[in-house]
mmCIF file of all heavy atoms in Angstrom:
data_model
loop_
_atom_site.group_PDB
_atom_site.id
_atom_site.type_symbol
_atom_site.label_atom_id
_atom_site.label_comp_id
_atom_site.label_asym_id
_atom_site.label_seq_id
_atom_site.Cartn_x
_atom_site.Cartn_y
_atom_site.Cartn_z
ATOM 1 N N GLU Z 1 -199.467 -28.382 -110.673
ATOM 2 C CA GLU Z 1 -198.635 -28.712 -109.401
ATOM 3 C C GLU Z 1 -198.792 -27.659 -108.414
ATOM 4 O O GLU Z 1 -198.718 -28.054 -107.224
ATOM 5 C CB GLU Z 1 -197.145 -28.752 -109.989
ATOM 6 C CG GLU Z 1 -196.156 -29.206 -108.850
ATOM 7 C CD GLU Z 1 -194.793 -29.146 -109.390
ATOM 8 O OE1 GLU Z 1 -194.455 -29.215 -110.628
ATOM 9 O OE2 GLU Z 1 -193.823 -29.216 -108.515
ATOM 10 N N MET Z 2 -198.966 -26.412 -108.839
ATOM 11 C CA MET Z 2 -199.117 -25.319 -107.750
ATOM 12 C C MET Z 2 -200.622 -25.144 -107.349
ATOM 13 O O MET Z 2 -200.852 -24.321 -106.662
ATOM 14 C CB MET Z 2 -198.524 -24.172 -108.389
ATOM 15 C CG MET Z 2 -196.988 -24.171 -108.626
ATOM 16 S SD MET Z 2 -196.280 -22.542 -109.100
ATOM 17 C CE MET Z 2 -197.136 -22.281 -110.687
ATOM 18 N N ARG Z 3 -201.457 -25.989 -107.910
ATOM 19 C CA ARG Z 3 -202.946 -25.959 -107.507
ATOM 20 C C ARG Z 3 -203.517 -24.590 -107.995
ATOM 21 O O ARG Z 3 -204.391 -23.986 -107.159
ATOM 22 C CB ARG Z 3 -203.129 -26.259 -106.092
ATOM 23 C CG ARG Z 3 -202.708 -27.716 -105.798
ATOM 24 C CD ARG Z 3 -202.944 -28.001 -104.297
ATOM 25 N NE ARG Z 3 -202.440 -29.334 -103.968
ATOM 26 C CZ ARG Z 3 -202.540 -29.793 -102.749
ATOM 27 N NH1 ARG Z 3 -202.937 -29.227 -101.694
ATOM 28 N NH2 ARG Z 3 -202.016 -31.088 -102.514
ATOM 29 N N ILE Z 4 -203.117 -24.149 -109.119
ATOM 30 C CA ILE Z 4 -203.625 -22.951 -109.720
ATOM 31 C C ILE Z 4 -204.865 -23.215 -110.550
ATOM 32 O O ILE Z 4 -204.591 -23.982 -111.569
ATOM 33 C CB ILE Z 4 -202.623 -22.123 -110.421
ATOM 34 C CG1 ILE Z 4 -201.539 -21.649 -109.368
ATOM 35 C CG2 ILE Z 4 -203.239 -20.815 -111.065
ATOM 36 C CD1 ILE Z 4 -200.305 -20.933 -110.067
ATOM 37 N N THR Z 5 -205.991 -22.850 -110.314
ATOM 38 C CA THR Z 5 -207.158 -23.113 -111.132
ATOM 39 C C THR Z 5 -207.242 -21.847 -112.211
ATOM 40 O O THR Z 5 -207.487 -20.747 -111.855
ATOM 41 C CB THR Z 5 -208.452 -23.240 -110.480
ATOM 42 O OG1 THR Z 5 -208.292 -24.257 -109.578
ATOM 43 C CG2 THR Z 5 -209.589 -23.547 -111.404
ATOM 44 N N ILE Z 6 -207.090 -22.261 -113.484
ATOM 45 C CA ILE Z 6 -207.277 -21.265 -114.603
ATOM 46 C C ILE Z 6 -208.698 -20.845 -114.762
ATOM 47 O O ILE Z 6 -209.449 -21.789 -115.086
ATOM 48 C CB ILE Z 6 -206.582 -21.785 -115.913
ATOM 49 C CG1 ILE Z 6 -205.134 -22.119 -115.638
ATOM 50 C CG2 ILE Z 6 -206.677 -20.619 -116.974
ATOM 51 C CD1 ILE Z 6 -204.224 -20.994 -115.155
ATOM 52 N N PRO Z 7 -208.986 -19.554 -114.749
ATOM 53 C CA PRO Z 7 -210.429 -19.257 -114.951
ATOM 54 C C PRO Z 7 -211.005 -19.580 -116.339
ATOM 55 O O PRO Z 7 -210.134 -19.598 -117.283
ATOM 56 C CB PRO Z 7 -210.500 -17.676 -114.795
ATOM 57 C CG PRO Z 7 -209.249 -17.393 -113.989
ATOM 58 C CD PRO Z 7 -208.213 -18.392 -114.409
ATOM 59 N N GLU Z 8 -212.251 -19.975 -116.429
ATOM 60 C CA GLU Z 8 -212.851 -20.285 -117.722
ATOM 61 C C GLU Z 8 -212.815 -19.221 -118.778
ATOM 62 O O GLU Z 8 -212.864 -19.385 -119.987
ATOM 63 C CB GLU Z 8 -214.210 -20.837 -117.517
ATOM 64 C CG GLU Z 8 -214.319 -22.275 -116.822
ATOM 65 C CD GLU Z 8 -215.733 -22.758 -116.871
ATOM 66 O OE1 GLU Z 8 -216.643 -22.232 -117.464
ATOM 67 O OE2 GLU Z 8 -215.996 -23.884 -116.261
ATOM 68 N N ASP Z 9 -212.765 -18.021 -118.237
ATOM 69 C CA ASP Z 9 -212.829 -16.880 -119.158
ATOM 70 C C ASP Z 9 -211.341 -16.430 -119.556
ATOM 71 O O ASP Z 9 -211.238 -15.374 -120.189
ATOM 72 C CB ASP Z 9 -213.562 -15.693 -118.568
ATOM 73 C CG ASP Z 9 -212.953 -15.041 -117.219
ATOM 74 O OD1 ASP Z 9 -211.974 -15.830 -116.753
ATOM 75 O OD2 ASP Z 9 -213.548 -14.144 -116.856
ATOM 76 N N MET Z 10 -210.426 -17.158 -119.126
ATOM 77 C CA MET Z 10 -209.039 -16.834 -119.651
ATOM 78 C C MET Z 10 -208.755 -16.925 -121.074
ATOM 79 O O MET Z 10 -209.499 -17.714 -121.752
ATOM 80 C CB MET Z 10 -207.922 -17.776 -119.114
ATOM 81 C CG MET Z 10 -206.501 -17.478 -119.316
ATOM 82 S SD MET Z 10 -205.978 -15.918 -118.504
ATOM 83 C CE MET Z 10 -205.592 -16.609 -116.845
ATOM 84 N N LYS Z 11 -208.243 -15.921 -121.704
ATOM 85 C CA LYS Z 11 -208.070 -15.768 -123.200
ATOM 86 C C LYS Z 11 -206.661 -16.367 -123.510
ATOM 87 O O LYS Z 11 -205.710 -16.233 -122.797
ATOM 88 C CB LYS Z 11 -208.231 -14.384 -123.660
ATOM 89 C CG LYS Z 11 -209.691 -13.880 -123.474
ATOM 90 C CD LYS Z 11 -209.796 -12.465 -124.079
ATOM 91 C CE LYS Z 11 -211.192 -11.976 -123.879
ATOM 92 N NZ LYS Z 11 -211.451 -10.617 -124.345
ATOM 93 N N TYR Z 12 -206.461 -16.966 -124.783
ATOM 94 C CA TYR Z 12 -205.212 -17.511 -125.265
ATOM 95 C C TYR Z 12 -204.940 -16.918 -126.574
ATOM 96 O O TYR Z 12 -205.708 -16.962 -127.485
ATOM 97 C CB TYR Z 12 -205.354 -19.044 -125.158
ATOM 98 C CG TYR Z 12 -205.791 -19.688 -123.936
ATOM 99 C CD1 TYR Z 12 -207.083 -20.041 -123.583
ATOM 100 C CD2 TYR Z 12 -204.794 -19.894 -122.915
ATOM 101 C CE1 TYR Z 12 -207.383 -20.612 -122.433
ATOM 102 C CE2 TYR Z 12 -205.205 -20.460 -121.772
ATOM 103 C CZ TYR Z 12 -206.449 -20.727 -121.405
ATOM 104 O OH TYR Z 12 -206.794 -21.294 -120.315
ATOM 105 N N PHE Z 13 -203.589 -16.447 -126.554
ATOM 106 C CA PHE Z 13 -203.242 -15.784 -127.923
ATOM 107 C C PHE Z 13 -201.976 -16.731 -128.261
ATOM 108 O O PHE Z 13 -200.938 -16.767 -127.580
ATOM 109 C CB PHE Z 13 -202.760 -14.437 -127.628
ATOM 110 C CG PHE Z 13 -203.907 -13.508 -127.495
ATOM 111 C CD1 PHE Z 13 -204.615 -13.405 -126.272
ATOM 112 C CD2 PHE Z 13 -204.479 -12.679 -128.461
ATOM 113 C CE1 PHE Z 13 -205.645 -12.728 -126.017
ATOM 114 C CE2 PHE Z 13 -205.536 -11.886 -128.261
ATOM 115 C CZ PHE Z 13 -206.214 -11.814 -127.028
ATOM 116 N N CYS Z 14 -202.100 -17.272 -129.470
ATOM 117 C CA CYS Z 14 -201.185 -18.289 -129.932
ATOM 118 C C CYS Z 14 -200.465 -17.952 -131.202
ATOM 119 O O CYS Z 14 -201.066 -17.219 -132.106
ATOM 120 C CB CYS Z 14 -201.726 -19.590 -130.150
ATOM 121 S SG CYS Z 14 -202.669 -20.273 -128.736
ATOM 122 N N LYS Z 15 -199.250 -18.380 -131.290
ATOM 123 C CA LYS Z 15 -198.328 -18.048 -132.498
ATOM 124 C C LYS Z 15 -199.003 -18.558 -133.753
ATOM 125 O O LYS Z 15 -198.934 -18.048 -134.805
ATOM 126 C CB LYS Z 15 -196.894 -18.630 -132.283
ATOM 127 C CG LYS Z 15 -196.028 -18.362 -133.506
ATOM 128 C CD LYS Z 15 -194.577 -19.004 -133.286
ATOM 129 C CE LYS Z 15 -193.646 -18.637 -134.424
ATOM 130 N NZ LYS Z 15 -192.418 -19.267 -134.176
ATOM 131 N N SER Z 16 -199.587 -19.665 -133.656
ATOM 132 C CA SER Z 16 -200.171 -20.357 -134.910
ATOM 133 C C SER Z 16 -201.433 -21.118 -134.568
ATOM 134 O O SER Z 16 -201.735 -21.477 -133.390
ATOM 135 C CB SER Z 16 -199.159 -21.236 -135.551
ATOM 136 O OG SER Z 16 -198.956 -22.322 -134.704
ATOM 137 N N GLU Z 17 -202.258 -21.565 -135.649
ATOM 138 C CA GLU Z 17 -203.320 -22.410 -135.352
ATOM 139 C C GLU Z 17 -202.927 -23.791 -134.770
ATOM 140 O O GLU Z 17 -203.638 -24.246 -133.896
ATOM 141 C CB GLU Z 17 -204.056 -22.696 -136.716
ATOM 142 C CG GLU Z 17 -205.404 -23.487 -136.512
ATOM 143 C CD GLU Z 17 -206.041 -23.717 -137.816
ATOM 144 O OE1 GLU Z 17 -205.525 -23.459 -138.955
ATOM 145 O OE2 GLU Z 17 -207.300 -24.005 -137.803
ATOM 146 N N LEU Z 18 -201.804 -24.265 -135.323
ATOM 147 C CA LEU Z 18 -201.296 -25.504 -134.695
ATOM 148 C C LEU Z 18 -201.115 -25.472 -133.232
ATOM 149 O O LEU Z 18 -201.503 -26.442 -132.542
ATOM 150 C CB LEU Z 18 -199.957 -25.973 -135.497
ATOM 151 C CG LEU Z 18 -199.474 -27.383 -135.174
ATOM 152 C CD1 LEU Z 18 -200.474 -28.406 -135.670
ATOM 153 C CD2 LEU Z 18 -198.105 -27.528 -135.852
ATOM 154 N N VAL Z 19 -200.467 -24.451 -132.809
ATOM 155 C CA VAL Z 19 -200.298 -24.332 -131.391
ATOM 156 C C VAL Z 19 -201.484 -24.104 -130.666
ATOM 157 O O VAL Z 19 -201.723 -24.691 -129.550
ATOM 158 C CB VAL Z 19 -199.275 -23.029 -131.028
ATOM 159 C CG1 VAL Z 19 -199.273 -22.804 -129.545
ATOM 160 C CG2 VAL Z 19 -197.944 -23.302 -131.576
ATOM 161 N N SER Z 20 -202.431 -23.370 -131.283
ATOM 162 C CA SER Z 20 -203.777 -23.092 -130.567
ATOM 163 C C SER Z 20 -204.621 -24.386 -130.357
ATOM 164 O O SER Z 20 -205.242 -24.624 -129.368
ATOM 165 C CB SER Z 20 -204.613 -22.085 -131.348
ATOM 166 O OG SER Z 20 -205.184 -22.552 -132.525
ATOM 167 N N LEU Z 21 -204.584 -25.221 -131.350
ATOM 168 C CA LEU Z 21 -205.289 -26.566 -131.269
ATOM 169 C C LEU Z 21 -204.814 -27.416 -130.115
ATOM 170 O O LEU Z 21 -205.599 -28.193 -129.558
ATOM 171 C CB LEU Z 21 -205.212 -27.223 -132.665
ATOM 172 C CG LEU Z 21 -206.000 -26.593 -133.719
ATOM 173 C CD1 LEU Z 21 -205.745 -27.347 -135.129
ATOM 174 C CD2 LEU Z 21 -207.526 -26.574 -133.457
ATOM 175 N N TYR Z 22 -203.488 -27.366 -129.714
ATOM 176 C CA TYR Z 22 -202.960 -28.099 -128.818
ATOM 177 C C TYR Z 22 -203.507 -27.804 -127.360
ATOM 178 O O TYR Z 22 -203.446 -28.639 -126.464
ATOM 179 C CB TYR Z 22 -201.388 -27.947 -128.778
ATOM 180 C CG TYR Z 22 -200.688 -28.989 -128.071
ATOM 181 C CD1 TYR Z 22 -200.601 -30.354 -128.442
ATOM 182 C CD2 TYR Z 22 -200.036 -28.624 -126.758
ATOM 183 C CE1 TYR Z 22 -199.902 -31.194 -127.781
ATOM 184 C CE2 TYR Z 22 -199.234 -29.601 -126.067
ATOM 185 C CZ TYR Z 22 -199.156 -30.855 -126.635
ATOM 186 O OH TYR Z 22 -198.493 -31.843 -125.822
ATOM 187 N N ILE Z 23 -203.966 -26.663 -127.236
ATOM 188 C CA ILE Z 23 -204.625 -26.194 -125.973
ATOM 189 C C ILE Z 23 -205.732 -27.254 -125.504
ATOM 190 O O ILE Z 23 -206.106 -27.388 -124.292
ATOM 191 C CB ILE Z 23 -205.277 -24.847 -126.000
ATOM 192 C CG1 ILE Z 23 -204.015 -23.877 -126.125
ATOM 193 C CG2 ILE Z 23 -205.900 -24.324 -124.749
ATOM 194 C CD1 ILE Z 23 -204.430 -22.399 -126.367
ATOM 195 N N GLN Z 24 -206.407 -27.808 -126.518
ATOM 196 C CA GLN Z 24 -207.530 -28.753 -126.238
ATOM 197 C C GLN Z 24 -207.198 -29.814 -125.336
ATOM 198 O O GLN Z 24 -208.011 -30.574 -124.728
ATOM 199 C CB GLN Z 24 -208.074 -29.275 -127.594
ATOM 200 C CG GLN Z 24 -208.708 -28.313 -128.539
ATOM 201 C CD GLN Z 24 -209.224 -28.908 -129.809
ATOM 202 O OE1 GLN Z 24 -210.391 -29.195 -129.957
ATOM 203 N NE2 GLN Z 24 -208.248 -29.008 -130.759
ATOM 204 N N LYS Z 25 -205.855 -30.174 -125.343
ATOM 205 C CA LYS Z 25 -205.323 -31.154 -124.469
ATOM 206 C C LYS Z 25 -205.614 -30.884 -123.023
ATOM 207 O O LYS Z 25 -205.707 -31.757 -122.148
ATOM 208 C CB LYS Z 25 -203.857 -31.348 -124.663
ATOM 209 C CG LYS Z 25 -203.150 -32.504 -123.952
ATOM 210 C CD LYS Z 25 -201.691 -32.633 -124.278
ATOM 211 C CE LYS Z 25 -200.886 -33.685 -123.313
ATOM 212 N NZ LYS Z 25 -199.601 -33.745 -123.650
ATOM 213 N N TYR Z 26 -205.855 -29.612 -122.716
ATOM 214 C CA TYR Z 26 -205.942 -29.263 -121.196
ATOM 215 C C TYR Z 26 -207.191 -28.451 -120.948
ATOM 216 O O TYR Z 26 -207.641 -28.614 -119.826
ATOM 217 C CB TYR Z 26 -204.667 -28.314 -120.852
ATOM 218 C CG TYR Z 26 -203.460 -29.046 -120.935
ATOM 219 C CD1 TYR Z 26 -202.621 -28.857 -122.082
ATOM 220 C CD2 TYR Z 26 -202.868 -29.807 -119.950
ATOM 221 C CE1 TYR Z 26 -201.445 -29.415 -122.159
ATOM 222 C CE2 TYR Z 26 -201.809 -30.429 -120.039
ATOM 223 C CZ TYR Z 26 -200.949 -30.206 -121.238
ATOM 224 O OH TYR Z 26 -199.820 -31.007 -121.326
ATOM 225 N N VAL Z 27 -207.779 -27.684 -121.814
ATOM 226 C CA VAL Z 27 -209.013 -27.137 -121.582
ATOM 227 C C VAL Z 27 -210.036 -27.261 -122.801
ATOM 228 O O VAL Z 27 -209.558 -27.542 -123.850
ATOM 229 C CB VAL Z 27 -208.832 -25.465 -121.333
ATOM 230 C CG1 VAL Z 27 -207.851 -25.312 -120.183
ATOM 231 C CG2 VAL Z 27 -208.136 -24.828 -122.623
ATOM 232 N N GLN Z 28 -211.240 -26.933 -122.500
ATOM 233 C CA GLN Z 28 -212.192 -26.892 -123.531
ATOM 234 C C GLN Z 28 -211.962 -25.789 -124.612
ATOM 235 O O GLN Z 28 -211.753 -24.637 -124.111
ATOM 236 C CB GLN Z 28 -213.672 -26.754 -123.078
ATOM 237 C CG GLN Z 28 -214.814 -26.897 -124.082
ATOM 238 C CD GLN Z 28 -216.140 -26.798 -123.372
ATOM 239 O OE1 GLN Z 28 -216.277 -26.592 -122.216
ATOM 240 N NE2 GLN Z 28 -217.077 -26.862 -124.230
ATOM 241 N N TYR Z 29 -211.888 -26.149 -125.838
ATOM 242 C CA TYR Z 29 -211.468 -25.186 -126.872
ATOM 243 C C TYR Z 29 -212.684 -24.416 -127.230
ATOM 244 O O TYR Z 29 -213.579 -24.883 -127.847
ATOM 245 C CB TYR Z 29 -210.874 -25.918 -127.939
ATOM 246 C CG TYR Z 29 -210.206 -25.129 -129.008
ATOM 247 C CD1 TYR Z 29 -208.848 -24.840 -129.117
ATOM 248 C CD2 TYR Z 29 -210.962 -24.563 -130.143
ATOM 249 C CE1 TYR Z 29 -208.334 -24.026 -130.109
ATOM 250 C CE2 TYR Z 29 -210.400 -23.836 -131.100
ATOM 251 C CZ TYR Z 29 -209.010 -23.609 -131.058
ATOM 252 O OH TYR Z 29 -208.361 -22.854 -132.068
ATOM 253 N N ARG Z 30 -212.564 -22.997 -127.166
ATOM 254 C CA ARG Z 30 -213.574 -22.155 -127.795
ATOM 255 C C ARG Z 30 -212.935 -21.168 -128.470
ATOM 256 O O ARG Z 30 -212.128 -20.326 -127.941
ATOM 257 C CB ARG Z 30 -214.426 -21.468 -126.525
ATOM 258 C CG ARG Z 30 -215.240 -22.416 -125.667
ATOM 259 C CD ARG Z 30 -216.133 -21.683 -124.789
ATOM 260 N NE ARG Z 30 -216.784 -22.431 -123.779
ATOM 261 C CZ ARG Z 30 -216.431 -22.553 -122.549
ATOM 262 N NH1 ARG Z 30 -215.443 -21.634 -122.082
ATOM 263 N NH2 ARG Z 30 -217.021 -23.270 -121.545
ATOM 264 N N LYS Z 31 -213.425 -20.990 -129.742
ATOM 265 C CA LYS Z 31 -212.812 -20.087 -130.629
ATOM 266 C C LYS Z 31 -212.928 -18.602 -130.223
ATOM 267 O O LYS Z 31 -212.035 -17.789 -130.547
ATOM 268 C CB LYS Z 31 -213.295 -20.164 -132.050
ATOM 269 C CG LYS Z 31 -212.909 -21.457 -132.770
ATOM 270 C CD LYS Z 31 -213.169 -21.484 -134.208
ATOM 271 C CE LYS Z 31 -212.703 -22.660 -134.936
ATOM 272 N NZ LYS Z 31 -213.014 -22.736 -136.448
ATOM 273 N N ARG Z 32 -213.911 -18.415 -129.497
ATOM 274 C CA ARG Z 32 -214.148 -16.957 -129.023
ATOM 275 C C ARG Z 32 -212.943 -16.570 -127.979
ATOM 276 O O ARG Z 32 -213.027 -15.320 -127.783
ATOM 277 C CB ARG Z 32 -215.606 -16.857 -128.322
ATOM 278 C CG ARG Z 32 -215.801 -17.602 -127.174
ATOM 279 C CD ARG Z 32 -217.162 -17.353 -126.643
ATOM 280 N NE ARG Z 32 -217.448 -18.281 -125.452
ATOM 281 C CZ ARG Z 32 -217.040 -18.012 -124.176
ATOM 282 N NH1 ARG Z 32 -216.332 -16.946 -123.917
ATOM 283 N NH2 ARG Z 32 -217.344 -18.745 -123.320
ATOM 284 N N LYS Z 33 -212.279 -17.460 -127.407
ATOM 285 C CA LYS Z 33 -211.235 -16.947 -126.414
ATOM 286 C C LYS Z 33 -209.870 -17.477 -126.866
ATOM 287 O O LYS Z 33 -208.917 -17.407 -126.117
ATOM 288 C CB LYS Z 33 -211.697 -17.527 -125.038
ATOM 289 C CG LYS Z 33 -211.575 -19.014 -124.775
ATOM 290 C CD LYS Z 33 -211.864 -19.396 -123.309
ATOM 291 C CE LYS Z 33 -211.744 -20.884 -123.173
ATOM 292 N NZ LYS Z 33 -211.998 -21.304 -121.759
ATOM 293 N N VAL Z 34 -209.828 -18.054 -128.151
ATOM 294 C CA VAL Z 34 -208.459 -18.456 -128.575
ATOM 295 C C VAL Z 34 -208.240 -17.640 -129.938
ATOM 296 O O VAL Z 34 -208.975 -17.587 -130.933
ATOM 297 C CB VAL Z 34 -208.403 -20.023 -128.888
ATOM 298 C CG1 VAL Z 34 -207.056 -20.379 -129.410
ATOM 299 C CG2 VAL Z 34 -208.746 -20.776 -127.657
ATOM 300 N N PHE Z 35 -207.014 -16.983 -130.069
ATOM 301 C CA PHE Z 35 -206.738 -16.108 -131.053
ATOM 302 C C PHE Z 35 -205.260 -16.481 -131.735
ATOM 303 O O PHE Z 35 -204.413 -16.860 -130.872
ATOM 304 C CB PHE Z 35 -206.674 -14.572 -130.645
ATOM 305 C CG PHE Z 35 -207.913 -14.263 -129.930
ATOM 306 C CD1 PHE Z 35 -208.088 -14.384 -128.512
ATOM 307 C CD2 PHE Z 35 -209.011 -13.665 -130.546
ATOM 308 C CE1 PHE Z 35 -209.266 -14.030 -127.840
ATOM 309 C CE2 PHE Z 35 -210.231 -13.177 -130.017
ATOM 310 C CZ PHE Z 35 -210.210 -13.444 -128.508
ATOM 311 N N TYR Z 36 -205.225 -16.369 -132.953
ATOM 312 C CA TYR Z 36 -203.886 -16.779 -133.618
ATOM 313 C C TYR Z 36 -203.812 -16.182 -134.979
ATOM 314 O O TYR Z 36 -204.993 -15.800 -135.686
ATOM 315 C CB TYR Z 36 -203.777 -18.282 -133.722
ATOM 316 C CG TYR Z 36 -204.854 -18.989 -134.393
ATOM 317 C CD1 TYR Z 36 -204.842 -19.171 -135.833
ATOM 318 C CD2 TYR Z 36 -205.938 -19.534 -133.822
ATOM 319 C CE1 TYR Z 36 -205.891 -19.809 -136.530
ATOM 320 C CE2 TYR Z 36 -206.973 -20.154 -134.505
ATOM 321 C CZ TYR Z 36 -206.819 -20.208 -135.783
ATOM 322 O OH TYR Z 36 -207.936 -20.857 -136.559
ATOM 323 N N PRO Z 37 -202.677 -15.825 -135.552
ATOM 324 C CA PRO Z 37 -202.627 -15.278 -136.836
ATOM 325 C C PRO Z 37 -202.597 -16.547 -137.923
ATOM 326 O O PRO Z 37 -202.091 -17.543 -137.609
ATOM 327 C CB PRO Z 37 -201.328 -14.495 -136.871
ATOM 328 C CG PRO Z 37 -200.453 -15.278 -135.948
ATOM 329 C CD PRO Z 37 -201.392 -15.777 -134.890
ATOM 330 N N VAL Z 38 -203.109 -16.184 -139.120
ATOM 331 C CA VAL Z 38 -203.181 -17.221 -140.051
ATOM 332 C C VAL Z 38 -201.693 -17.508 -140.623
ATOM 333 O O VAL Z 38 -201.321 -18.637 -140.870
ATOM 334 C CB VAL Z 38 -203.918 -16.686 -141.370
ATOM 335 C CG1 VAL Z 38 -203.860 -17.791 -142.483
ATOM 336 C CG2 VAL Z 38 -205.423 -16.586 -140.983
ATOM 337 N N SER Z 39 -200.803 -16.467 -140.584
ATOM 338 C CA SER Z 39 -199.411 -16.699 -141.049
ATOM 339 C C SER Z 39 -198.622 -17.559 -140.137
ATOM 340 O O SER Z 39 -197.592 -18.081 -140.637
ATOM 341 C CB SER Z 39 -198.863 -15.393 -141.172
ATOM 342 O OG SER Z 39 -198.612 -14.624 -139.894
ATOM 343 N N GLY Z 40 -198.989 -17.638 -138.902
ATOM 344 C CA GLY Z 40 -198.175 -18.385 -137.918
ATOM 345 C C GLY Z 40 -196.904 -17.549 -137.427
ATOM 346 O O GLY Z 40 -195.942 -18.183 -136.890
#
């Protein structure tokens, strides 16, 4: 809405794997820039 383009090298740190996988709805998912704990 605010026309902000998120850089491709932006990193994502998520509470759980389930939350991290949801990012695929908006950006190409690359494990090298998505981090999460196994415990959630």
Side-chain angles (χ1 to χ4, degrees):
E1 183 181 344
M2 295 188 294
R3 298 180 182 178
I4 296 173
T5 301
I6 303 301
E8 288 189 7
D9 60 353
M10 182 69 80
K11 294 179 181 177
Y12 302 98
F13 291 77
C14 303
K15 180 180 179 180
S16 67
E17 182 179 15
L18 188 66
V19 173
S20 76
L21 292 171
Y22 194 70
I23 296 174
Q24 294 179 96
K25 182 177 177 181
Y26 298 97
V27 298
Q28 186 176 358
Y29 187 95
R30 295 195 189 100
K31 286 190 176 180
R32 63 179 175 81
K33 66 176 183 179
V34 180
F35 307 87
Y36 57 87
V38 175
S39 67

